[in-house]
Amino acid sequence: MSIPAIGGVTTVAPTAYLSALTGTEAAPASDGSAFASVLGSIDSLQGLQATSNELAVRAVTGDLDDVHDYTVAAAEASLTLELTAALRNKAVDAFTEIMRMQA
């Protein structure tokens, strides 16, 4: 299916991703890989925070040549922490809603 031309605008065809979607797709198999990727993300967060802390110490002691490196690392660690906390809060909210459901 494509959208016809309107007033000199060329037609737009759906992307391969959208044309491959159907409403009856099965849920992916649960082999634990999604949970493993979440744990890997938490390890990544810890690494970002460690890097930020190391750069902060270097900035305070005067060993850091470019303070911009610390600023970027601190912002990245902060944003990642906020995203992780938001995902955790949504997961807890979803679990709470499931527990409220009556059988």
Side-chain angles (χ1 to χ4, degrees), residues 13-98:
T15 62
Y17 174 76
L18 292 177
S19 61
L21 290 179
T22 62
T24 60
E25 290 182 7
S30 177
D31 61 354
S33 62
F35 187 71
S37 71
V38 169
L39 291 179
S41 298
I42 292 173
D43 289 338
S44 174
L45 170 62
Q46 289 174 340
L48 288 172
Q49 289 176 331
T51 302
S52 175
N53 289 341
E54 178 187 339
L55 290 173
V57 169
R58 288 177 57 194
V60 169
T61 59
D63 295 335
L64 187 63
D65 294 331
D66 192 4
V67 179
H68 180 266
D69 293 337
Y70 165 67
T71 306
V72 169
E76 188 175 0
S78 174
L79 183 62
T80 305
L81 179 62
E82 288 177 19
L83 176 64
T84 303
L87 288 174
R88 184 220 40 209
N89 291 342
K90 287 295 184 181
V92 169
D93 290 344
F95 179 77
T96 304
E97 275 301 308
I98 290 171

